[in-house]
């Protein structure tokens, strides 16, 4: 079977779905690997590196897709009207598509996969179970996002992060608050601490307190009996009363902060509002807000997708898109390993074949379409 690695065509995307290292391992499993010309260029991977690893280079997308039975991508393929190339029309009926497909926000794409009899797997739907940890793209990419958020904040900040004692006087350390303590938030805490900041953090999940404190940060949260976590391990929306009390606490805390990094996301829903116009107005001039949820609507009411804006009182609000792509070499390496770990258990006894257990929890969780039907329960109204 041929695995295709296309060039990513969506705006702001620099990642690629395979590296020379994963190509070698896929070839060792018996698969043929075809890589579109210049697919890895923005991740600092040359065509010659892919060839040395055992891949064949396809001159264009049409040639690539015509031979492919399995497609590894970062983002969902372009459809008619989205760009210069209609990738979906090139994919053979009956193919297997494995990517970050954003199906909840793009139901028309999911229907198109079903209509073409494509078996589409959404990697972001990976179940949070122990044996799937090495396939968890949300974790691998969020980890880098948390790191990049702090670096982006430092680039905009007009002061130093650590305390500095000099003959000319002492510079106080920066105060950083991280809002949302998932994988991205924990990495943001760790990175800010390494740079010498005084860090605090908040999350709706009380279980996050121990993790925050283990990294040397202060946990900020109102007392509640509500459970802020779903059975799958994701944050869930809280009651209006909780949100009101938490907002009051955060508003008082934010006034004292130099930098706020927001990471809160709720799967399948717009990002929750954590920082309002009034909270921004209470912050000091020169303070920084980095909104990692800007593509899902934003945690800050003043953030704008793809822009760095300054509020009337001088607060700088960073809304970069596709933050993992800023670290394309590393994010591609991790993502491609997630895909390799996903396909490896599916490899059949005969080299280059697949033996899929359709009742396996990982398959059930990630599979969107099969036999021209939408089969995923999350897209049919399930949890």
């Amino acid at each position: 079977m041929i695995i295709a690695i296309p060039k990513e065509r969506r705006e702001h995307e620099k990642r690629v779905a395979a590296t020379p290292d994963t190509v070698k391992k896929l070839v060792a499993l018996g698969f043929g690997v075809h890589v579109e010309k210049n697919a890895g260029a923005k991740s600092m991977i040359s065509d010659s590196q892919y060839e040395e690893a055992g891949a064949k280079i396809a001159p264009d997308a049409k040639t690539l897709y015509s031979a492919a039975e399995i497609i590894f991508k970062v983002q969902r393929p372009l459809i008619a009207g989205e760009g210069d190339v209609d990738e979906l029309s090139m994919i053979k009926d009956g193919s297997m598509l494995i990517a970050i497909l954003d199906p909840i926000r793009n139901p028309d794409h999911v229907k198109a996969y079903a209509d073409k009899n494509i078996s589409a797997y959404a990697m972001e739907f990976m179940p949070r179970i122990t044996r799937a940890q090495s396939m968890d793209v949300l974790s691998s990419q969020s980890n880098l996002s948390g790191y990049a958020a702090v670096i982006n904040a430092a680039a905009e900040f007009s002061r130093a992060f650590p305390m500095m004692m000099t003959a000319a006087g002492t510079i106080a350390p920066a105060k950083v608050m991280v809002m949302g303590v998932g994988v991205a938030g924990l990495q943001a805490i760790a990175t800010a601490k390494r740079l010498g900041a005084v860090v605090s953090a908040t999350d709706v999940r009380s279980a996050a307190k121990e993790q925050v404190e283990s990294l040397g940060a202060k946990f900020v949260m109102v007392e509640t009996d509500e459970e802020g976590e779903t059975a799958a391990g994701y944050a869930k929306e809280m009651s209006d009363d909780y949100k009101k009390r938490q907002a009051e606490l955060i508003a008082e805390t934010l006034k004292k902060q130099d930098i706020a990094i927001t990471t809160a996301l709720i799967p399948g829903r717009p990002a929750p509002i954590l920082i309002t116009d009034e909270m921004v107005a209470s912050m000091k001039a020169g303070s920084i807000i980095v909104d990692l949820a800007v593509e899902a609507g934003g945690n800050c009411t003043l953030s704008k997708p793809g822009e760095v804006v300054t509020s009337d009182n001088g607060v700088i609000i960073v809304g970069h898109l596709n933050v993992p792509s800023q670290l394309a070499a590393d994010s591609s390496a991790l993502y491609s390993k997630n895909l390799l770990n996903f396909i490896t258990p599916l490899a059949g006894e005969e080299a280059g074949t697949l033996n899929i257990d359709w009742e396996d929890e990982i398959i059930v969780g990630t599979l969107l379409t099969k036999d021209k039907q939408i089969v995923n329960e999350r897209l049919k109204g399930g949890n």
Side-chain angles (χ1 to χ4, degrees):
M1 297 182 77
I2 302 297
I3 297 177
I5 312 297
K7 179 166 60 178
E8 296 296 323
R9 290 177 163 81
R10 292 194 177 274
E11 195 175 8
H12 309 294
E13 187 55 75
K14 298 178 182 179
R15 293 171 290 180
V16 66
T19 63
D21 179 59
T22 61
V23 166
K24 287 179 184 176
K25 292 179 170 65
L26 291 169
V27 171
L29 288 171
F31 296 105
V33 181
H34 292 189
V35 179
E36 186 179 352
K37 184 179 179 181
N38 295 325
K42 293 180 180 179
S43 295
M44 305 300 114
I45 304 171
S46 67
D47 290 344
S48 61
Q49 288 175 287
Y50 281 124
E51 288 180 308
E52 289 169 9
K56 292 183 179 180
I57 303 301
D60 52 48
K62 186 175 181 180
T63 304
L64 179 82
Y65 285 123
S66 67
E69 292 140 302
I70 303 170
I71 297 140
F72 282 2
K73 282 190 99 285
V74 179
Q75 295 203 46
R76 66 193 187 281
L78 295 172
I79 64 173
E82 283 196 307
D84 296 335
V85 177
D86 179 0
E87 292 181 279
L88 188 61
S89 68
M90 299 179 188
I91 297 175
K92 295 191 300 184
D93 288 19
S95 297
M96 184 175 179
L97 172 64
I98 307 170
I100 299 171
L101 297 173
D102 198 10
I104 293 175
R105 290 193 291 183
N106 296 280
D108 54 329
H109 286 227
V110 178
K111 184 179 184 303
Y113 307 147
D115 290 343
K116 285 210 71 170
N117 194 28
I118 292 171
S119 295
Y121 295 79
M123 289 298 289
E124 68 268 48
F125 276 13
M126 189 64 61
R128 289 201 159 175
I129 57 177
T130 301
R131 64 189 174 92
Q133 287 179 351
S134 65
M135 312 171 197
D136 188 347
V137 300
L138 293 181
S139 293
S140 74
Q141 302 304 290
S142 294
N143 195 35
L144 290 166
S145 293
Y147 165 82
V150 177
I151 302 304
N152 289 335
E156 300 289 343
F157 196 41
S158 60
R159 291 174 42 207
F161 265 57
M163 174 183 284
M164 294 185 181
M165 301 181 71
T166 74
T170 300
I171 296 173
K175 294 180 180 178
V176 176
M177 184 171 195
V178 177
M179 306 176 74
V181 189
V183 174
L186 290 171
Q187 184 56 248
I189 293 169
T191 303
K193 286 293 292 182
R194 285 197 294 268
L195 290 177
V198 174
V199 184
S200 57
T202 184
D203 196 281
V204 297
R205 297 166 293 186
S206 57
K209 182 176 188 290
E210 184 177 344
Q211 295 172 304
V212 168
E213 292 178 345
S214 71
L215 292 171
K218 179 183 177 182
F219 191 61
V220 179
M221 181 184 179
V222 296
E223 294 295 327
T224 181
D225 292 329
E226 289 186 53
E227 181 56 61
E229 189 172 28
T230 67
Y234 296 99
K236 71 176 185 181
E237 193 162 6
M238 304 294 279
S239 70
D240 290 341
D241 176 65
Y242 174 89
K243 287 190 280 190
K244 179 176 180 293
R245 291 188 294 128
Q246 180 75 347
E248 290 170 353
L249 177 61
I250 298 305
E252 285 303 309
T253 308
L254 270 179
K255 293 177 184 178
K256 307 167 189 175
Q257 304 302 309
D258 299 303
I259 294 168
I261 296 172
T262 69
T263 73
L265 291 166
I266 298 173
R269 297 190 181 187
I273 297 299
L274 304 181
I275 301 179
T276 63
D277 292 19
E278 293 75 19
M279 292 179 187
V280 174
S282 74
M283 296 177 72
K284 299 174 288 188
S287 299
I288 311 293
I289 297 171
V290 178
D291 191 343
L292 285 181
V294 70
E295 290 173 275
N299 295 142
C300 176
T301 50
L302 294 179
S303 62
K304 293 185 178 180
E307 297 184 33
V308 177
V309 298
T310 304
S311 70
D312 292 340
N313 62 315
V315 176
I316 299 168
I317 304 155
V318 181
H320 292 319
L321 299 174
N322 198 346
V323 174
S325 196
Q326 293 179 354
L327 304 166
D330 286 336
S331 54
S332 294
L334 295 179
Y335 179 75
S336 62
K337 199 68 177 291
N338 293 143
L339 295 182
L340 172 67
N341 292 334
F342 177 74
I343 204 75
T344 298
L346 307 183
E349 292 183 8
E350 185 179 341
T353 64
L354 295 177
N355 182 19
I356 301 174
D357 177 3
W358 299 107
E359 296 183 1
D360 184 277
E361 188 175 358
I362 290 172
I363 300 300
V364 172
T366 56
L367 183 63
L368 305 182
T369 56
K370 180 177 179 285
D371 298 330
K372 294 194 171 187
Q373 300 293 320
I374 296 172
V375 298
N376 194 285
E377 290 300 322
R378 291 176 67 175
L379 303 183
K380 296 193 296 183
N383 294 322

